[in-house]
PDB file of all heavy atoms in Angstrom:
ATOM      1  N   ARG A 120      60.548  35.668 170.514  1.00 95.00           N
ATOM      2  CA  ARG A 120      60.151  36.414 171.699  1.00 95.00           C
ATOM      3  C   ARG A 120      60.989  37.687 171.848  1.00 95.00           C
ATOM      4  O   ARG A 120      60.470  38.766 172.126  1.00 95.00           O
ATOM      5  CB  ARG A 120      60.320  35.526 172.927  1.00 95.00           C
ATOM      6  CG  ARG A 120      59.809  36.116 174.230  1.00 95.00           C
ATOM      7  CD  ARG A 120      60.021  35.120 175.346  1.00 95.00           C
ATOM      8  NE  ARG A 120      61.439  34.755 175.452  1.00 95.00           N
ATOM      9  CZ  ARG A 120      61.872  33.682 176.091  1.00 95.00           C
ATOM     10  NH1 ARG A 120      61.012  32.831 176.630  1.00 95.00           N
ATOM     11  NH2 ARG A 120      63.159  33.443 176.180  1.00 95.00           N
ATOM     12  N   LEU A 121      62.293  37.574 171.634  1.00 96.00           N
ATOM     13  CA  LEU A 121      63.165  38.739 171.768  1.00 96.00           C
ATOM     14  C   LEU A 121      62.935  39.753 170.655  1.00 96.00           C
ATOM     15  O   LEU A 121      63.068  40.960 170.860  1.00 96.00           O
ATOM     16  CB  LEU A 121      64.627  38.291 171.767  1.00 96.00           C
ATOM     17  CG  LEU A 121      65.083  37.473 172.974  1.00 96.00           C
ATOM     18  CD1 LEU A 121      66.473  36.893 172.722  1.00 96.00           C
ATOM     19  CD2 LEU A 121      65.087  38.324 174.229  1.00 96.00           C
ATOM     20  N   ASP A 123      60.182  40.535 169.368  1.00 97.00           N
ATOM     21  CA  ASP A 123      58.941  41.255 169.610  1.00 97.00           C
ATOM     22  C   ASP A 123      59.068  42.346 170.667  1.00 97.00           C
ATOM     23  O   ASP A 123      58.074  42.964 171.045  1.00 97.00           O
ATOM     24  CB  ASP A 123      57.843  40.277 170.045  1.00 97.00           C
ATOM     25  CG  ASP A 123      57.324  39.445 168.886  1.00 97.00           C
ATOM     26  OD1 ASP A 123      57.440  39.903 167.738  1.00 97.00           O
ATOM     27  OD2 ASP A 123      56.825  38.340 169.124  1.00 97.00           O
ATOM     28  N   ALA A 124      60.267  42.611 171.143  1.00 97.00           N
ATOM     29  CA  ALA A 124      60.451  43.639 172.171  1.00 97.00           C
ATOM     30  C   ALA A 124      59.979  44.997 171.668  1.00 97.00           C
ATOM     31  O   ALA A 124      60.229  45.380 170.521  1.00 97.00           O
ATOM     32  CB  ALA A 124      61.919  43.707 172.580  1.00 97.00           C
ATOM     33  N   ASP A 125      59.292  45.749 172.536  1.00 97.00           N
ATOM     34  CA  ASP A 125      58.815  47.079 172.176  1.00 97.00           C
ATOM     35  C   ASP A 125      59.950  47.986 171.722  1.00 97.00           C
ATOM     36  O   ASP A 125      59.767  48.847 170.861  1.00 97.00           O
ATOM     37  CB  ASP A 125      58.133  47.735 173.384  1.00 97.00           C
ATOM     38  CG  ASP A 125      56.726  47.195 173.609  1.00 97.00           C
ATOM     39  OD1 ASP A 125      56.228  46.471 172.731  1.00 97.00           O
ATOM     40  OD2 ASP A 125      56.141  47.502 174.663  1.00 97.00           O
ATOM     41  N   ALA A 126      61.146  47.803 172.289  1.00 98.00           N
ATOM     42  CA  ALA A 126      62.272  48.686 171.991  1.00 98.00           C
ATOM     43  C   ALA A 126      62.670  48.642 170.526  1.00 98.00           C
ATOM     44  O   ALA A 126      63.324  49.566 170.034  1.00 98.00           O
ATOM     45  CB  ALA A 126      63.470  48.303 172.858  1.00 98.00           C
ATOM     46  N   LEU A 127      62.297  47.582 169.801  1.00 98.00           N
ATOM     47  CA  LEU A 127      62.669  47.443 168.398  1.00 98.00           C
ATOM     48  C   LEU A 127      61.664  48.078 167.454  1.00 98.00           C
ATOM     49  O   LEU A 127      61.813  47.980 166.230  1.00 98.00           O
ATOM     50  CB  LEU A 127      62.871  45.968 168.046  1.00 98.00           C
ATOM     51  CG  LEU A 127      64.064  45.303 168.738  1.00 98.00           C
ATOM     52  CD1 LEU A 127      64.156  43.829 168.362  1.00 98.00           C
ATOM     53  CD2 LEU A 127      65.368  46.014 168.385  1.00 98.00           C
ATOM     54  N   THR A 474      67.827  51.609 174.244  1.00 97.00           N
ATOM     55  CA  THR A 474      67.015  50.413 174.486  1.00 97.00           C
ATOM     56  C   THR A 474      66.963  49.524 173.251  1.00 97.00           C
ATOM     57  O   THR A 474      66.927  48.298 173.369  1.00 97.00           O
ATOM     58  CB  THR A 474      65.588  50.802 174.913  1.00 97.00           C
ATOM     59  OG1 THR A 474      65.010  51.695 173.930  1.00 97.00           O
ATOM     60  CG2 THR A 474      65.606  51.506 176.264  1.00 97.00           C
ATOM     61  N   ALA A 475      66.988  50.126 172.063  1.00 98.00           N
ATOM     62  CA  ALA A 475      66.997  49.316 170.836  1.00 98.00           C
ATOM     63  C   ALA A 475      68.298  48.531 170.736  1.00 98.00           C
ATOM     64  O   ALA A 475      68.299  47.339 170.374  1.00 98.00           O
ATOM     65  CB  ALA A 475      66.813  50.204 169.615  1.00 98.00           C
ATOM     66  N   THR A 477      70.191  47.571 173.194  1.00 96.00           N
ATOM     67  CA  THR A 477      70.145  46.501 174.196  1.00 96.00           C
ATOM     68  C   THR A 477      69.329  45.325 173.692  1.00 96.00           C
ATOM     69  O   THR A 477      69.707  44.154 173.883  1.00 96.00           O
ATOM     70  CB  THR A 477      69.555  47.032 175.515  1.00 96.00           C
ATOM     71  OG1 THR A 477      70.398  48.079 176.013  1.00 96.00           O
ATOM     72  CG2 THR A 477      69.460  45.932 176.558  1.00 96.00           C
ATOM     73  N   ALA A 478      68.208  45.614 173.024  1.00 97.00           N
ATOM     74  CA  ALA A 478      67.373  44.539 172.477  1.00 97.00           C
ATOM     75  C   ALA A 478      68.115  43.759 171.399  1.00 97.00           C
ATOM     76  O   ALA A 478      68.027  42.519 171.335  1.00 97.00           O
ATOM     77  CB  ALA A 478      66.074  45.122 171.914  1.00 97.00           C
ATOM     78  N   LEU A 479      68.867  44.458 170.549  1.00 98.00           N
ATOM     79  CA  LEU A 479      69.659  43.772 169.522  1.00 98.00           C
ATOM     80  C   LEU A 479      70.772  42.941 170.152  1.00 98.00           C
ATOM     81  O   LEU A 479      71.064  41.829 169.699  1.00 98.00           O
ATOM     82  CB  LEU A 479      70.248  44.795 168.559  1.00 98.00           C
ATOM     83  CG  LEU A 479      69.260  45.545 167.663  1.00 98.00           C
ATOM     84  CD1 LEU A 479      69.975  46.657 166.905  1.00 98.00           C
ATOM     85  CD2 LEU A 479      68.565  44.609 166.692  1.00 98.00           C
ATOM     86  N   ARG A 481      70.679  41.496 173.013  1.00 96.00           N
ATOM     87  CA  ARG A 481      70.049  40.306 173.584  1.00 96.00           C
ATOM     88  C   ARG A 481      69.738  39.275 172.494  1.00 96.00           C
ATOM     89  O   ARG A 481      69.868  38.065 172.718  1.00 96.00           O
ATOM     90  CB  ARG A 481      68.760  40.687 174.313  1.00 96.00           C
ATOM     91  CG  ARG A 481      68.998  41.430 175.630  1.00 96.00           C
ATOM     92  CD  ARG A 481      67.693  41.968 176.194  1.00 96.00           C
ATOM     93  NE  ARG A 481      67.918  42.634 177.464  1.00 96.00           N
ATOM     94  CZ  ARG A 481      67.631  42.102 178.647  1.00 96.00           C
ATOM     95  NH1 ARG A 481      67.120  40.893 178.717  1.00 96.00           N
ATOM     96  NH2 ARG A 481      67.848  42.774 179.763  1.00 96.00           N
ATOM     97  N   ALA A 497      66.957  37.039 179.133  1.00 50.00           N
ATOM     98  CA  ALA A 497      65.553  37.328 179.365  1.00 50.00           C
ATOM     99  C   ALA A 497      65.077  38.337 178.333  1.00 50.00           C
ATOM    100  O   ALA A 497      65.805  39.259 177.967  1.00 50.00           O
ATOM    101  CB  ALA A 497      65.362  37.888 180.776  1.00 50.00           C
ATOM    102  N   PRO A 498      63.843  38.193 177.829  1.00 50.00           N
ATOM    103  CA  PRO A 498      63.356  39.124 176.812  1.00 50.00           C
ATOM    104  C   PRO A 498      63.028  40.478 177.413  1.00 50.00           C
ATOM    105  O   PRO A 498      62.725  40.595 178.599  1.00 50.00           O
ATOM    106  CB  PRO A 498      62.101  38.426 176.280  1.00 50.00           C
ATOM    107  CG  PRO A 498      61.603  37.627 177.450  1.00 50.00           C
ATOM    108  CD  PRO A 498      62.854  37.160 178.181  1.00 50.00           C
ATOM    109  N   LEU A 499      63.080  41.518 176.569  1.00 46.00           N
ATOM    110  CA  LEU A 499      62.574  42.808 176.961  1.00 46.00           C
ATOM    111  C   LEU A 499      61.063  42.789 176.832  1.00 46.00           C
ATOM    112  O   LEU A 499      60.474  41.909 176.196  1.00 46.00           O
ATOM    113  CB  LEU A 499      63.164  43.891 176.040  1.00 46.00           C
ATOM    114  CG  LEU A 499      64.678  44.103 176.166  1.00 46.00           C
ATOM    115  CD1 LEU A 499      65.109  45.096 175.095  1.00 46.00           C
ATOM    116  CD2 LEU A 499      65.038  44.607 177.524  1.00 46.00           C
ATOM    117  N   PRO A 500      60.340  43.761 177.432  1.00 46.00           N
ATOM    118  CA  PRO A 500      58.893  43.796 177.326  1.00 46.00           C
ATOM    119  C   PRO A 500      58.450  43.782 175.874  1.00 46.00           C
ATOM    120  O   PRO A 500      59.055  44.433 175.026  1.00 46.00           O
ATOM    121  CB  PRO A 500      58.523  45.134 178.016  1.00 46.00           C
ATOM    122  CG  PRO A 500      59.650  45.372 178.947  1.00 46.00           C
ATOM    123  CD  PRO A 500      60.874  44.841 178.272  1.00 46.00           C
ATOM    124  N   ALA A 501      57.393  43.040 175.568  1.00 42.00           N
ATOM    125  CA  ALA A 501      56.951  42.881 174.195  1.00 42.00           C
ATOM    126  C   ALA A 501      55.535  43.385 174.021  1.00 42.00           C
ATOM    127  O   ALA A 501      54.717  43.417 174.957  1.00 42.00           O
ATOM    128  CB  ALA A 501      57.013  41.402 173.794  1.00 42.00           C
ATOM    129  N   ARG A 502      55.205  43.796 172.777  1.00 36.00           N
ATOM    130  CA  ARG A 502      53.839  44.180 172.429  1.00 36.00           C
ATOM    131  C   ARG A 502      52.990  42.939 172.241  1.00 36.00           C
ATOM    132  O   ARG A 502      53.482  41.834 172.098  1.00 36.00           O
ATOM    133  CB  ARG A 502      53.849  44.986 171.131  1.00 36.00           C
ATOM    134  CG  ARG A 502      54.429  46.385 171.247  1.00 36.00           C
ATOM    135  CD  ARG A 502      54.111  47.138 169.953  1.00 36.00           C
ATOM    136  NE  ARG A 502      54.533  48.518 170.052  1.00 36.00           N
ATOM    137  CZ  ARG A 502      55.694  48.982 169.621  1.00 36.00           C
ATOM    138  NH1 ARG A 502      56.545  48.158 169.084  1.00 36.00           N
ATOM    139  NH2 ARG A 502      55.995  50.265 169.728  1.00 36.00           N
TER     140      ARG A 502
END
Side-chain angles (χ1 to χ4, degrees):
R120 186 179 57 198
L121 293 170
D123 286 335
D125 282 350
L127 293 178
T474 54
T477 299
L479 292 172
R481 288 171 178 257
L499 294 174
R502 289 191 175 95

